[in-house]
Amino acid sequence: LADFNYALSIAPNSATSYQYRAYLFEEQHQYDLAIADYTMIIKLEPKNGFSYSGRGRIYAEIERYDLATADLDKAIEIDPKNSYSHALRGKIYTDMNKYDLAILDFQKSLELDQKNATAYLNRGNYYRKINQSDLAIKDLDKAIELNPKSASAYHDRGLIYAEKKDYPQAEKDYT
């Protein structure tokens, strides 16, 4: 943190320094500070869709879904081909129980990038929420294939196996 603060004291308009510091604040669960840094980046670079996605992700984390979707809408307006922004907005819509909108974003995300493990992970959780466990497992299998170190994908797939009372498979995902 001291290094980022020092970098900003030298170059107070460095969007990159704000970006890295925002990541650090996010990892430390200092969400207000991360939001402030993303807001500064947006002031410095208003056409930086990544910053809207980052701030939207944090708003979703603190369950400010109205602000999260507004930021993701802006990120997608700036860069409509950003698969990650569509996948994230789909996750937010899933959390809001707006399933009709969520599936559209997941489809768009995967249309843009068929190797987006996050989109498969998020869509898998969407399918889990709407009680489509076979489709959920299929997507989580794909997320794991694309990112074998995704603890979330193993965890979520394990939950589904446990819900299906397939305890041996669930245990494999948890060990």
Side-chain angles (χ1 to χ4, degrees):
L1 179 60
D3 289 339
F4 295 128
N5 290 337
Y6 180 69
L8 286 165
S9 74
I10 296 169
N13 292 326
S14 171
T16 302
S17 293
Y18 281 109
Q19 178 181 330
Y20 287 123
R21 192 172 71 174
Y23 287 150
L24 178 62
F25 286 144
E26 185 176 1
E27 288 297 314
Q28 295 174 338
H29 303 281
Q30 296 183 52
Y31 297 124
D32 289 342
L33 295 173
I35 288 167
D37 277 357
Y38 277 119
T39 301
M40 180 58 80
I41 299 166
I42 290 166
K43 287 179 184 174
L44 294 170
E45 298 177 354
K47 296 294 183 188
N48 183 336
F50 176 82
S51 297
Y52 285 99
S53 289
R55 191 173 69 178
R57 181 181 62 247
I58 295 169
Y59 280 137
E61 185 68 30
I62 61 173
E63 298 181 359
R64 292 296 311 270
Y65 297 125
D66 54 335
L67 295 172
T69 55
D71 273 356
L72 270 293
D73 290 347
K74 186 66 175 177
I76 290 167
E77 176 188 320
I78 291 168
D79 184 4
K81 293 184 179 183
N82 184 322
S83 175
Y84 173 78
S85 294
H86 287 281
L88 179 56
R89 190 173 66 180
K91 180 191 180 307
I92 294 165
Y93 283 143
T94 300
D95 292 344
M96 297 170 70
N97 299 321
K98 293 185 176 185
Y99 302 123
D100 54 334
L101 295 173
I103 194 61
L104 294 174
D105 269 334
F106 295 135
Q107 289 169 339
K108 184 64 176 178
S109 177
L110 292 168
E111 175 187 312
L112 292 167
D113 180 3
Q114 294 179 359
K115 294 185 181 197
N116 184 337
T118 299
Y120 286 105
L121 172 68
N122 291 347
R123 191 173 70 176
N125 284 310
Y126 156 83
Y127 283 134
R128 179 175 173 253
K129 274 189 107 171
I130 63 166
N131 299 313
Q132 296 288 324
S133 59
D134 291 337
L135 291 173
I137 288 170
K138 182 179 175 184
D139 272 1
L140 293 168
D141 287 345
K142 186 67 174 179
I144 290 167
E145 174 189 322
L146 293 169
N147 182 6
K149 295 183 180 184
S150 173
S152 296
Y154 286 104
H155 173 268
D156 296 345
R157 189 175 68 179
L159 284 175
I160 296 167
Y161 283 131
E163 289 167 356
K164 293 178 73 164
K165 301 191 184 324
D166 186 347
Y167 300 117
Q169 282 300 123
E171 185 177 351
K172 285 181 186 177
D173 281 344
Y174 290 132
T175 55

